[in-house]
Short mmCIF file of all heavy atoms in Angstrom, two decimals:
data_model
loop_
_atom_site.label_atom_id
_atom_site.label_comp_id
_atom_site.label_asym_id
_atom_site.label_seq_id
_atom_site.Cartn_x
_atom_site.Cartn_y
_atom_site.Cartn_z
N GLY A 1 -3.67 2.97 29.45
CA GLY A 1 -3.71 4.28 28.79
C GLY A 1 -2.97 5.37 29.52
O GLY A 1 -2.88 6.49 29.04
N ASN A 2 -2.41 5.04 30.70
CA ASN A 2 -1.77 6.08 31.52
C ASN A 2 -0.67 5.44 32.37
O ASN A 2 -0.52 5.76 33.54
CB ASN A 2 -2.82 6.75 32.40
CG ASN A 2 -2.29 7.95 33.17
OD1 ASN A 2 -1.40 8.65 32.70
ND2 ASN A 2 -2.80 8.15 34.37
N HIS A 3 0.09 4.53 31.78
CA HIS A 3 0.95 3.68 32.59
C HIS A 3 2.41 4.12 32.57
O HIS A 3 2.82 4.97 31.78
CB HIS A 3 0.85 2.23 32.12
CG HIS A 3 1.56 1.95 30.82
ND1 HIS A 3 1.06 2.31 29.60
CD2 HIS A 3 2.74 1.33 30.56
CE1 HIS A 3 1.89 1.94 28.65
NE2 HIS A 3 2.93 1.34 29.20
N ASP A 4 3.18 3.54 33.49
CA ASP A 4 4.63 3.71 33.56
C ASP A 4 5.28 2.42 33.05
O ASP A 4 4.71 1.34 33.16
CB ASP A 4 5.08 3.97 34.99
CG ASP A 4 4.31 5.10 35.66
OD1 ASP A 4 4.42 6.23 35.19
OD2 ASP A 4 3.58 4.83 36.64
N GLU A 5 6.52 2.56 32.56
CA GLU A 5 7.20 1.38 32.02
C GLU A 5 8.70 1.63 31.97
O GLU A 5 9.14 2.76 31.70
CB GLU A 5 6.66 1.08 30.62
CG GLU A 5 7.05 -0.26 30.05
CD GLU A 5 6.22 -0.60 28.81
OE1 GLU A 5 4.98 -0.52 28.87
OE2 GLU A 5 6.83 -0.93 27.78
N ILE A 6 9.48 0.58 32.23
CA ILE A 6 10.94 0.62 32.08
C ILE A 6 11.31 -0.64 31.29
O ILE A 6 11.05 -1.75 31.74
CB ILE A 6 11.66 0.62 33.45
CG1 ILE A 6 11.15 1.74 34.35
CG2 ILE A 6 13.17 0.74 33.25
CD1 ILE A 6 11.66 1.66 35.79
N ASP A 7 11.94 -0.46 30.13
CA ASP A 7 12.12 -1.56 29.19
C ASP A 7 13.57 -1.90 28.90
O ASP A 7 14.40 -1.00 28.75
CB ASP A 7 11.52 -1.19 27.82
CG ASP A 7 10.03 -0.94 27.84
OD1 ASP A 7 9.35 -1.48 28.73
OD2 ASP A 7 9.55 -0.21 26.96
N ILE A 8 13.82 -3.20 28.76
CA ILE A 8 14.96 -3.72 28.00
C ILE A 8 14.36 -4.59 26.90
O ILE A 8 13.69 -5.59 27.19
CB ILE A 8 15.92 -4.55 28.87
CG1 ILE A 8 16.68 -3.63 29.85
CG2 ILE A 8 16.91 -5.32 28.00
CD1 ILE A 8 17.61 -4.39 30.78
N GLU A 9 14.57 -4.18 25.65
CA GLU A 9 13.99 -4.89 24.51
C GLU A 9 15.10 -5.24 23.52
O GLU A 9 15.94 -4.39 23.20
CB GLU A 9 12.96 -4.01 23.81
CG GLU A 9 11.80 -3.60 24.71
CD GLU A 9 10.88 -2.60 24.02
OE1 GLU A 9 11.27 -1.44 23.82
OE2 GLU A 9 9.76 -3.00 23.66
N PHE A 10 15.06 -6.46 23.03
CA PHE A 10 15.99 -6.89 21.98
C PHE A 10 15.22 -6.89 20.67
O PHE A 10 14.26 -7.65 20.50
CB PHE A 10 16.53 -8.28 22.29
CG PHE A 10 17.28 -8.33 23.59
CD1 PHE A 10 16.64 -8.75 24.76
CD2 PHE A 10 18.60 -7.93 23.66
CE1 PHE A 10 17.32 -8.79 25.96
CE2 PHE A 10 19.29 -7.96 24.87
CZ PHE A 10 18.65 -8.39 26.02
N LEU A 11 15.63 -6.00 19.77
CA LEU A 11 14.94 -5.84 18.51
C LEU A 11 15.63 -6.69 17.45
O LEU A 11 16.83 -6.55 17.20
CB LEU A 11 14.95 -4.36 18.09
CG LEU A 11 14.42 -3.39 19.17
CD1 LEU A 11 14.42 -1.96 18.64
CD2 LEU A 11 13.03 -3.80 19.66
N GLY A 12 14.85 -7.59 16.86
CA GLY A 12 15.39 -8.55 15.92
C GLY A 12 15.98 -7.89 14.69
O GLY A 12 15.80 -6.68 14.44
N THR A 13 16.66 -8.68 13.87
CA THR A 13 17.47 -8.11 12.81
C THR A 13 17.51 -9.00 11.58
O THR A 13 17.03 -10.14 11.59
CB THR A 13 18.88 -7.85 13.36
OG1 THR A 13 19.63 -7.12 12.40
CG2 THR A 13 19.59 -9.15 13.70
N THR A 14 18.09 -8.46 10.52
CA THR A 14 18.30 -9.23 9.31
C THR A 14 19.61 -10.00 9.43
O THR A 14 20.37 -9.84 10.39
CB THR A 14 18.32 -8.29 8.09
OG1 THR A 14 19.30 -7.27 8.31
CG2 THR A 14 16.97 -7.63 7.90
N LEU A 15 19.88 -10.82 8.45
CA LEU A 15 20.99 -11.77 8.57
C LEU A 15 22.36 -11.10 8.66
O LEU A 15 23.30 -11.67 9.20
CB LEU A 15 20.97 -12.73 7.37
CG LEU A 15 19.76 -13.66 7.32
CD1 LEU A 15 19.71 -14.39 5.98
CD2 LEU A 15 19.79 -14.67 8.47
N ASP A 16 22.48 -9.88 8.16
CA ASP A 16 23.79 -9.25 8.09
C ASP A 16 24.04 -8.19 9.16
O ASP A 16 25.06 -7.52 9.13
CB ASP A 16 23.97 -8.60 6.70
CG ASP A 16 22.86 -7.61 6.38
OD1 ASP A 16 21.76 -7.73 6.97
OD2 ASP A 16 23.07 -6.71 5.55
N LYS A 17 23.11 -8.04 10.09
CA LYS A 17 23.24 -6.96 11.08
C LYS A 17 23.03 -7.48 12.50
O LYS A 17 22.33 -8.45 12.71
CB LYS A 17 22.22 -5.85 10.77
CG LYS A 17 22.50 -5.15 9.44
CD LYS A 17 21.46 -4.10 9.13
CE LYS A 17 21.76 -3.45 7.77
NZ LYS A 17 20.68 -2.52 7.37
N PRO A 18 23.64 -6.78 13.50
CA PRO A 18 23.51 -7.24 14.88
C PRO A 18 22.17 -6.84 15.50
O PRO A 18 21.49 -5.93 15.02
CB PRO A 18 24.67 -6.52 15.58
CG PRO A 18 24.87 -5.28 14.79
CD PRO A 18 24.56 -5.64 13.36
N TYR A 19 21.81 -7.52 16.58
CA TYR A 19 20.66 -7.12 17.38
C TYR A 19 20.83 -5.69 17.88
O TYR A 19 21.94 -5.20 18.09
CB TYR A 19 20.52 -8.03 18.60
CG TYR A 19 19.65 -9.25 18.41
CD1 TYR A 19 20.19 -10.44 17.96
CD2 TYR A 19 18.29 -9.20 18.72
CE1 TYR A 19 19.39 -11.58 17.80
CE2 TYR A 19 17.49 -10.34 18.57
CZ TYR A 19 18.05 -11.51 18.11
OH TYR A 19 17.25 -12.62 17.96
N VAL A 20 19.69 -5.04 18.13
CA VAL A 20 19.66 -3.75 18.82
C VAL A 20 19.04 -3.97 20.19
O VAL A 20 17.96 -4.56 20.31
CB VAL A 20 18.83 -2.72 18.03
CG1 VAL A 20 18.62 -1.44 18.85
CG2 VAL A 20 19.53 -2.38 16.71
N LEU A 21 19.74 -3.53 21.24
CA LEU A 21 19.17 -3.52 22.58
C LEU A 21 18.59 -2.12 22.80
O LEU A 21 19.32 -1.12 22.75
CB LEU A 21 20.23 -3.82 23.64
CG LEU A 21 19.74 -4.02 25.07
CD1 LEU A 21 20.79 -4.77 25.90
CD2 LEU A 21 19.46 -2.68 25.79
N GLN A 22 17.28 -2.06 23.00
CA GLN A 22 16.62 -0.77 23.24
C GLN A 22 16.24 -0.66 24.70
O GLN A 22 15.58 -1.54 25.25
CB GLN A 22 15.37 -0.63 22.37
CG GLN A 22 14.55 0.63 22.68
CD GLN A 22 13.50 0.91 21.64
OE1 GLN A 22 13.77 1.39 20.55
NE2 GLN A 22 12.24 0.60 21.97
N THR A 23 16.65 0.43 25.33
CA THR A 23 16.19 0.77 26.68
C THR A 23 15.18 1.90 26.53
O THR A 23 15.29 2.75 25.64
CB THR A 23 17.35 1.23 27.57
OG1 THR A 23 17.92 2.45 27.04
CG2 THR A 23 18.44 0.16 27.65
N ASN A 24 14.19 1.89 27.43
CA ASN A 24 13.15 2.92 27.30
C ASN A 24 12.52 3.16 28.67
O ASN A 24 12.49 2.26 29.53
CB ASN A 24 12.08 2.46 26.31
CG ASN A 24 11.34 3.61 25.66
OD1 ASN A 24 11.47 4.76 26.08
ND2 ASN A 24 10.54 3.31 24.65
N VAL A 25 12.02 4.37 28.85
CA VAL A 25 11.31 4.77 30.07
C VAL A 25 10.06 5.53 29.66
O VAL A 25 10.14 6.48 28.88
CB VAL A 25 12.19 5.67 30.98
CG1 VAL A 25 11.43 6.08 32.24
CG2 VAL A 25 13.49 4.97 31.35
N TYR A 26 8.91 5.08 30.16
CA TYR A 26 7.65 5.80 29.99
C TYR A 26 7.19 6.31 31.35
O TYR A 26 7.31 5.58 32.34
CB TYR A 26 6.54 4.90 29.45
CG TYR A 26 6.72 4.38 28.06
CD1 TYR A 26 6.68 3.01 27.82
CD2 TYR A 26 6.90 5.24 26.99
CE1 TYR A 26 6.81 2.51 26.54
CE2 TYR A 26 7.05 4.73 25.71
CZ TYR A 26 6.99 3.38 25.48
OH TYR A 26 7.13 2.87 24.22
N ILE A 27 6.63 7.50 31.37
CA ILE A 27 6.02 8.02 32.59
C ILE A 27 4.58 8.41 32.26
O ILE A 27 4.35 9.22 31.36
CB ILE A 27 6.78 9.25 33.14
CG1 ILE A 27 8.21 8.86 33.54
CG2 ILE A 27 6.06 9.80 34.37
CD1 ILE A 27 9.22 9.07 32.47
N ARG A 28 3.65 7.80 32.98
CA ARG A 28 2.22 8.02 32.70
C ARG A 28 1.98 8.01 31.19
O ARG A 28 1.33 8.85 30.60
CB ARG A 28 1.73 9.33 33.35
CG ARG A 28 1.91 9.27 34.86
CD ARG A 28 1.33 10.44 35.60
NE ARG A 28 1.59 10.30 37.04
CZ ARG A 28 0.79 9.69 37.90
NH1 ARG A 28 -0.36 9.18 37.50
NH2 ARG A 28 1.11 9.61 39.18
N GLY A 29 2.50 6.95 30.62
CA GLY A 29 2.73 6.67 29.21
C GLY A 29 1.87 7.33 28.18
O GLY A 29 2.26 8.28 27.54
N SER A 30 0.67 6.84 27.97
CA SER A 30 -0.09 7.27 26.80
C SER A 30 -1.39 7.94 27.23
O SER A 30 -2.40 7.83 26.56
CB SER A 30 -0.39 6.06 25.90
OG SER A 30 -0.91 4.99 26.66
N GLY A 31 -1.34 8.64 28.34
CA GLY A 31 -2.56 9.29 28.84
C GLY A 31 -3.11 10.32 27.89
O GLY A 31 -4.31 10.56 27.82
N ASP A 32 -2.21 10.95 27.10
CA ASP A 32 -2.66 11.93 26.11
C ASP A 32 -2.78 11.28 24.73
O ASP A 32 -2.82 11.96 23.71
CB ASP A 32 -1.69 13.11 26.04
CG ASP A 32 -0.26 12.68 25.74
OD1 ASP A 32 -0.04 11.46 25.59
OD2 ASP A 32 0.62 13.55 25.67
N ARG A 33 -2.81 9.94 24.71
CA ARG A 33 -2.90 9.15 23.48
C ARG A 33 -1.67 9.31 22.59
O ARG A 33 -1.68 8.92 21.45
CB ARG A 33 -4.18 9.50 22.70
CG ARG A 33 -5.45 9.15 23.45
CD ARG A 33 -5.62 7.64 23.58
NE ARG A 33 -6.77 7.31 24.41
CZ ARG A 33 -6.69 6.90 25.66
NH1 ARG A 33 -5.51 6.81 26.25
NH2 ARG A 33 -7.77 6.58 26.34
N LYS A 34 -0.64 9.91 23.11
CA LYS A 34 0.61 10.03 22.35
C LYS A 34 1.74 9.59 23.27
O LYS A 34 2.15 10.32 24.16
CB LYS A 34 0.82 11.46 21.88
CG LYS A 34 2.11 11.66 21.07
CD LYS A 34 2.21 13.08 20.55
CE LYS A 34 3.54 13.34 19.89
NZ LYS A 34 3.80 12.50 18.72
N ILE A 35 2.20 8.37 23.06
CA ILE A 35 3.23 7.83 23.94
C ILE A 35 4.53 8.59 23.75
O ILE A 35 4.98 8.82 22.63
CB ILE A 35 3.44 6.33 23.66
CG1 ILE A 35 2.18 5.55 24.06
CG2 ILE A 35 4.65 5.80 24.41
CD1 ILE A 35 2.25 4.07 23.73
N ILE A 36 5.11 9.02 24.86
CA ILE A 36 6.40 9.72 24.83
C ILE A 36 7.47 8.76 25.33
O ILE A 36 7.59 8.50 26.53
CB ILE A 36 6.34 10.99 25.71
CG1 ILE A 36 5.25 11.93 25.20
CG2 ILE A 36 7.70 11.70 25.71
CD1 ILE A 36 4.87 13.02 26.19
N GLY A 37 8.20 8.20 24.39
CA GLY A 37 9.27 7.28 24.75
C GLY A 37 10.57 8.02 25.02
O GLY A 37 10.77 9.15 24.56
N ARG A 38 11.44 7.35 25.76
CA ARG A 38 12.76 7.92 26.07
C ARG A 38 13.81 6.86 25.72
O ARG A 38 14.49 6.33 26.57
CB ARG A 38 12.81 8.33 27.54
CG ARG A 38 11.91 9.52 27.85
CD ARG A 38 11.67 9.70 29.33
NE ARG A 38 11.08 11.00 29.61
CZ ARG A 38 9.77 11.28 29.54
NH1 ARG A 38 8.91 10.33 29.17
NH2 ARG A 38 9.33 12.49 29.82
N GLU A 39 13.90 6.58 24.43
CA GLU A 39 14.69 5.46 23.94
C GLU A 39 16.18 5.79 23.87
O GLU A 39 16.57 6.86 23.40
CB GLU A 39 14.23 5.03 22.54
CG GLU A 39 12.77 4.63 22.44
CD GLU A 39 11.84 5.78 22.11
OE1 GLU A 39 12.27 6.95 22.20
OE2 GLU A 39 10.67 5.51 21.76
N MET A 40 16.99 4.85 24.32
CA MET A 40 18.41 4.81 24.00
C MET A 40 18.70 3.41 23.49
O MET A 40 18.29 2.42 24.11
CB MET A 40 19.29 5.17 25.20
CG MET A 40 19.28 6.66 25.52
SD MET A 40 20.23 7.11 27.00
CE MET A 40 21.88 6.65 26.50
N LYS A 41 19.37 3.33 22.34
CA LYS A 41 19.59 2.04 21.67
C LYS A 41 21.09 1.76 21.57
O LYS A 41 21.89 2.68 21.38
CB LYS A 41 18.99 2.06 20.27
CG LYS A 41 17.49 2.31 20.23
CD LYS A 41 16.98 2.31 18.79
CE LYS A 41 15.51 2.67 18.73
NZ LYS A 41 15.00 2.64 17.34
N PHE A 42 21.41 0.48 21.67
CA PHE A 42 22.80 0.04 21.68
C PHE A 42 22.97 -1.20 20.81
O PHE A 42 22.07 -2.03 20.71
CB PHE A 42 23.22 -0.35 23.11
CG PHE A 42 23.06 0.75 24.13
CD1 PHE A 42 21.84 0.97 24.74
CD2 PHE A 42 24.13 1.55 24.48
CE1 PHE A 42 21.68 1.98 25.68
CE2 PHE A 42 23.98 2.56 25.42
CZ PHE A 42 22.76 2.78 26.01
N HIS A 43 24.16 -1.35 20.24
CA HIS A 43 24.64 -2.65 19.84
C HIS A 43 25.42 -3.23 21.03
O HIS A 43 25.70 -2.51 22.01
CB HIS A 43 25.53 -2.56 18.60
CG HIS A 43 24.76 -2.29 17.35
ND1 HIS A 43 25.25 -1.52 16.32
CD2 HIS A 43 23.52 -2.70 16.95
CE1 HIS A 43 24.35 -1.46 15.35
NE2 HIS A 43 23.29 -2.16 15.71
N LEU A 44 25.74 -4.50 20.97
CA LEU A 44 26.45 -5.16 22.07
C LEU A 44 27.87 -5.51 21.64
O LEU A 44 28.16 -5.66 20.45
CB LEU A 44 25.68 -6.40 22.52
CG LEU A 44 24.31 -6.09 23.16
CD1 LEU A 44 23.43 -7.32 23.20
CD2 LEU A 44 24.51 -5.52 24.56
N TRP A 45 28.74 -5.64 22.62
CA TRP A 45 30.15 -5.94 22.35
C TRP A 45 30.41 -7.45 22.31
O TRP A 45 31.54 -7.91 22.36
CB TRP A 45 31.05 -5.27 23.40
CG TRP A 45 30.64 -5.54 24.82
CD1 TRP A 45 31.13 -6.49 25.66
CD2 TRP A 45 29.65 -4.83 25.58
NE1 TRP A 45 30.51 -6.45 26.87
CE2 TRP A 45 29.58 -5.43 26.86
CE3 TRP A 45 28.78 -3.76 25.30
CZ2 TRP A 45 28.72 -4.98 27.86
CZ3 TRP A 45 27.93 -3.32 26.29
CH2 TRP A 45 27.91 -3.93 27.55
#
């Protein structure tokens, strides 16, 4: 309920679209019950 996190996540996709690589950083994550993400998303080359 109050954690830190650093993510590399591969978000699955439909047949006609590429994967999304999501990076994210949480700081004392969901201590206020509202997670504040810091997402940056990419396609790959």
